[in-house]
Amino acid sequence: MNRTLLNTALAVGFLALAFAIGVARRSPPSGYEPSIYTATPTLTWLGVGLALAIAIGLTIGTRGPYQAGAMALGGLTVTAVVSLPVIRNYHFQGLGDALTHLGWVRDFTQGTMTPHELFYPGLHSIATAVHMAGGISMERAVMMSVIILFVPFVVFVPLIARAITGTAGAAGFAAIVSWMVLPVNNVATHMGPHTNSNALFIVPVALFAVVAYLGRRGDLERLPFGISPFTFLLIFVGAGILLVHPQQMVNVVVVLAALAGVQMLASLRSANHPISTHPRMHTPAVLLGVLFVLWAAANERFRRAFSGLVYGLFVQDIGTGAEVGQRGGSLTEIGGSLLELFVLMFLVAAIIGTIAALFVLANWLGRTQLDSDARAYITYLALALVPLFGMFLVYFFGTPTMAFRQVGFIYVLLTILGGIALAHLFGWLSGFLTTPGSNALAAIFVSACLVLTLMTLFASPTIYQPTQHVTEQQQFGYDTALETRADERLFAGFGYGISRYGDAYHGTEAGTEINYDGGAGGQVLVEEFERGNYSGAYHGADYYFTVSAFDETRELEVYQELHHSREALEEIEGDPDVNRLISNDEFRMYEVEGE
């Protein structure tokens, strides 16, 4: 392909992306959106699709500045998709933990808490700085901080692949796999304000520092006393991951310790082994381990989490089996299945993981054309997965949610290995199909993977989870409810409680002494509510009943009235013991007299 066509293709790609962003920007939400995908204009998705198609084609089929431009185009396009809640002017995105994180930003801003008092203040500190320096709302600052922490992922994954293999092909495929955002599984890792997930996206910076540290050669790359400048970079990035979320920093320490162990075993086997010539990883592993211990030892939140894990391991009822069975039954009742959900959420991850595993096996059998250093790096990453998988098993039987967070970290490493593996797979196929044929097959394969992964990047009814879109009216309704609360009366929600909104309104730390639900769970009792016994639907107590557009969408449309019915919700209006106090298009609150 001549330069004119390449230049034109890149220009069209960037113009398509700019057009897509412009169209999305001009279509703000008019109310709660059950699916960010269907609510975003079709023209935006056409522009995104064209930009990604050009980025994929040129990343695979070209080298040099054109490949670099295509990788930049693809990275920007995926970042734009990640940024859709900001581009389309969402008031806020994220329920649950996201609202609690917003509350900590409020604590920082109003001075009821300082950053060093929080176990992981990274996201909140960035958001506070953006809020105060930019003069934008705290909600928007939190969403922008998510984007800031995401960008290193699409930048450093291809850099690591290039540093390991020295080939542009591996860097290109690694870039494409990074666009799939495989660490997000929507079970325990999410695209939004969720610090454990956000920390995953800066892990590649630490891994790049590790590869650079291992690859240093000669005195010119060393500081006095034989210290590498990459040691300081690794410690600095590790501290950053620690501040965003310590669990992922622990995983980084485990990777470094695994690398140090591999080096020790290689040295015992042969002094001439390529791994034996690499700089030792013991010092960085110990330094980051000590840093974590010093930060975590005195923190009460860490002690509670660790105690919960140990308790889960020794209590027979804790685990995933019953929960999976229950959810599988619920999916069947609303016309879905666990197999369907697995295909939507994990099929691409499983395929990439399998390809990476087969590539590692081929590398160990000497069936790849990598040099000794590159083979050593592949061995490092592959063997580091062993203790990481062991931790997954511990979490699986102790605290199942943590297990899927561990899967997110494992897929940071598999993204790198998967990209390198795909480059070698399609390079091998070019010997049978010719290079253009292999490139075409590769483009079709990764395009299909990208479509499937990007359509499950955010929660949506496609995966039986409505988009966690918090509208201004919805938050205003909850804020008004909290402002006008009388006599410490309790709150009960329609499938979702008010306590997280209390964090966002009062501040998470500032509101620790406030009792929202009397320890009763914050949700109405389903059986009593469905029988029309509204007075007895919250353990017989007087309470405020709250329902938002999100609640109605989830319970009545996505869950197809599996737990709550539209009829029971509508009939509350006519109950003599119920008075509507607050009402707008996105939120209602009723005062209910107890039995």
Side-chain angles (χ1 to χ4, degrees), residues 472-482 582 584 587 589:
E472 191 169 7
Q473 282 192 327
Q474 186 173 306
Q475 187 166 6
F476 176 78
Y478 279 105
D479 289 351
T480 304
L482 292 164
I582 301 171
N584 61 42
F587 176 86
M589 185 178 82

Side-chain angles (χ1 to χ4, degrees), residues 91 99 139 469-485 491-492 496-502 504-506 516 544-551 580-591:
H91 176 68
L99 291 169
E139 291 83 1
H469 174 204
V470 179
T471 66
E472 191 169 7
Q473 282 192 327
Q474 186 173 306
Q475 187 166 6
F476 176 78
Y478 279 105
D479 289 351
T480 304
L482 292 164
E483 287 175 2
T484 57
R485 178 188 188 186
F491 290 96
Y496 196 88
I498 199 172
S499 60
R500 298 286 196 164
Y501 284 96
Y505 178 72
H506 292 290
Y516 300 101
Y544 293 123
F545 172 65
T546 61
V547 57
S548 68
F550 169 83
D551 297 326
R580 185 195 294 190
L581 299 183
I582 301 171
S583 179
N584 61 42
D585 292 339
E586 307 291 331
F587 176 86
R588 299 191 305 279
M589 185 178 82
Y590 302 87
E591 181 184 44

Side-chain angles (χ1 to χ4, degrees), residues 100-381:
T100 296
H101 294 312
L102 176 59
W104 273 317
V105 174
R106 189 173 302 279
D107 285 326
F108 287 3
T109 302
Q110 62 192 16
T112 53
M113 188 180 195
T114 55
H116 74 274
E117 295 177 285
L118 184 61
F119 192 29
Y120 39 88
L123 173 75
H124 319 89
S125 299
I126 295 172
T128 301
V130 171
H131 162 66
M132 300 185 73
I136 60 177
S137 69
M138 280 182 278
E139 291 83 1
R140 192 168 184 82
V142 171
M143 293 191 293
M144 291 183 68
S145 300
V146 171
I147 302 169
I148 293 171
L149 291 174
F150 172 77
V151 170
F153 186 73
V154 294
V155 172
F156 280 90
V157 165
L159 289 178
I160 295 169
R162 180 61 182 260
I164 288 175
T165 65
T167 64
F173 276 100
I176 294 171
V177 178
S178 75
W179 304 342
M180 300 175 191
V181 202
L182 296 178
V184 169
N185 54 49
N186 274 308
V187 177
T189 56
H190 310 276
M191 182 50 66
H194 185 253
T195 52
N196 193 289
S197 307
N198 305 140
L200 291 171
F201 299 124
I202 53 177
V203 168
V205 186
L207 297 179
F208 178 77
V210 169
V211 173
Y213 175 86
L214 292 171
R216 67 184 175 92
R217 295 290 188 271
D219 294 335
L220 292 178
E221 296 182 6
R222 299 180 185 178
L223 296 174
F225 308 107
I227 299 174
S228 167
F230 295 108
T231 305
F232 291 103
L233 174 62
L234 183 54
I235 300 302
F236 177 76
V237 176
I241 297 172
L242 172 65
L243 294 178
V244 177
H245 202 286
Q247 182 183 354
Q248 305 307 349
M249 197 268 205
V250 170
N251 284 326
V252 171
V253 173
V254 169
V255 170
L256 299 185
L259 267 56
V262 171
Q263 291 175 334
M264 183 184 302
L265 292 175
S267 298
L268 293 174
R269 179 180 177 184
S270 171
N272 296 322
H273 194 284
I275 291 179
S276 301
T277 65
H278 290 164
R280 293 292 179 258
M281 294 301 304
H282 301 76
T283 300
V286 170
L287 288 176
L288 283 180
V290 169
L291 180 61
F292 171 79
V293 170
L294 292 176
W295 182 257
N299 188 276
E300 182 181 356
R301 187 181 182 90
F302 171 76
R303 294 198 299 271
R304 287 201 308 267
F306 184 76
S307 299
L309 172 62
V310 174
Y311 176 79
L313 286 171
F314 289 98
V315 174
Q316 190 173 7
D317 292 338
I318 301 295
T320 59
E323 183 178 355
V324 171
Q326 181 183 7
R327 294 192 178 188
S330 298
L331 278 171
T332 302
E333 290 186 51
I334 61 176
S337 69
L338 283 176
L339 178 60
E340 173 197 359
L341 206 57
F342 172 83
V343 169
L344 288 170
M345 298 173 65
F346 295 106
L347 179 61
V348 173
I351 291 172
I352 297 298
T354 301
I355 292 173
L358 293 174
F359 170 71
V360 169
L361 180 60
N363 181 64
W364 287 345
L365 294 175
R367 300 298 181 88
T368 64
Q369 297 180 346
L370 295 171
D371 60 29
S372 59
D373 271 345
R375 287 198 299 270
Y377 292 138
I378 299 301
T379 299
Y380 280 136
L381 293 177

